[in-house]
Amino acid sequence: MAMHKFQVGDRVQSLDEPMEGIVSKTDGSTIWVTTSDGFDMPFTAKEIIPISGTSLLAKAPISFTEVQQKVEPKKKNSAPTSKRKELYTVEVDLHIEKLVPSTRGLDNIDILNIQIGTAQRSIEHAIKNRIPKLVLIHGVGEGVLKSELGYLYRKYPNVVVQEANYQKYGLGATELYFQQNPLK
């Protein structure tokens, strides 16, 4: 399989963690990616994959403040109705076509392992970064992935699991709430 040649402006996704960004510099075998959070992170070509609609920088340069405006929710002018802040929600779509560019050569076990690995990395990322709520979109299907995810959730004692909002996701998603421990 030929390795993709990354260029400045290519939109990419990390294979090891739920992260997207834009290639900002290539330095030999190191590819620098500016994440949507504005951080420059080094990767090798084996650690990232291109996302369709590449060369975003070449089409229209975008600044960090523009990325922040698109990522951060708009603030309401009205007074808050409750003291509890609205939870920041991370959504991870586990449909295989969203995770890999092609399923050619993958059998059902390989696909399931990729999906479970992505879910596990997403959960650990949420715990590590103190993200209070994660939605895993698994789809309905035959229920194999949902069943396997149930086993995965049991590994994490401070996770509350429930069905996601039916109006928004239908029956194919699960919400995870992470009980936060104070920083030590």
Side-chain angles (χ1 to χ4, degrees):
M1 184 166 105
M3 190 65 60
H4 183 81
K5 177 83 170 135
F6 293 97
Q7 298 176 348
V8 172
D10 285 351
R11 192 164 157 229
V12 296
Q13 176 179 338
S14 170
L15 290 172
D16 295 331
E17 58 186 84
M19 184 283 309
E20 288 185 15
I22 298 172
V23 174
S24 58
K25 179 173 84 170
T26 58
D27 182 18
S29 63
T30 304
I31 301 163
W32 290 89
V33 176
T34 302
T35 67
S36 56
D37 298 327
F39 295 104
D40 284 331
M41 297 179 66
F43 291 95
T44 65
K46 293 180 180 180
E47 297 174 315
I48 56 177
I49 58 171
I51 300 174
S52 62
T54 57
S55 297
L56 293 179
L57 286 179
K59 293 177 185 173
I62 186 165
S63 68
F64 175 66
T65 54
E66 290 173 309
V67 171
Q68 272 186 315
Q69 290 170 353
K70 290 180 182 179
V71 172
E72 292 179 358
K74 301 282 183 193
K75 295 180 181 174
K76 295 180 181 179
N77 291 338
S78 62
T81 54
S82 70
K83 291 184 178 183
R84 185 177 176 191
K85 291 183 179 179
E86 191 63 31
L87 294 178
Y88 174 71
T89 303
V90 174
E91 296 176 352
V92 178
D93 193 339
L94 296 175
H95 288 91
I96 193 65
E97 62 272 7
K98 302 287 184 176
L99 301 177
V100 295
S102 171
T103 58
R104 191 175 344 152
L106 297 177
D107 61 15
N108 289 342
I109 296 297
D110 294 332
I111 291 171
L112 185 62
N113 285 334
I114 291 169
Q115 292 170 316
I116 295 295
T118 301
Q120 184 173 6
R121 286 189 302 275
S122 299
I123 291 169
E124 290 172 1
H125 176 79
I127 291 169
K128 177 181 164 191
N129 293 295
R130 302 180 63 81
I131 297 170
K133 181 178 168 186
L134 173 69
V135 175
L136 294 176
I137 303 168
H138 47 72
V140 180
E142 296 177 18
V144 175
L145 176 59
K146 184 176 181 180
S147 172
E148 290 296 320
L149 288 172
Y151 295 115
L152 177 65
Y153 304 148
R154 292 187 191 121
K155 291 182 181 179
Y156 303 97
N158 294 334
V159 176
V160 177
V161 180
Q162 68 183 36
E163 293 292 321
N165 182 337
Y166 177 77
Q167 291 176 332
K168 185 171 182 182
Y169 303 104
L171 294 172
T174 303
E175 279 182 354
L176 306 172
Y177 292 93
F178 300 97
Q179 298 170 349
Q180 303 292 325
N181 294 328
L183 292 173
K184 294 179 180 177

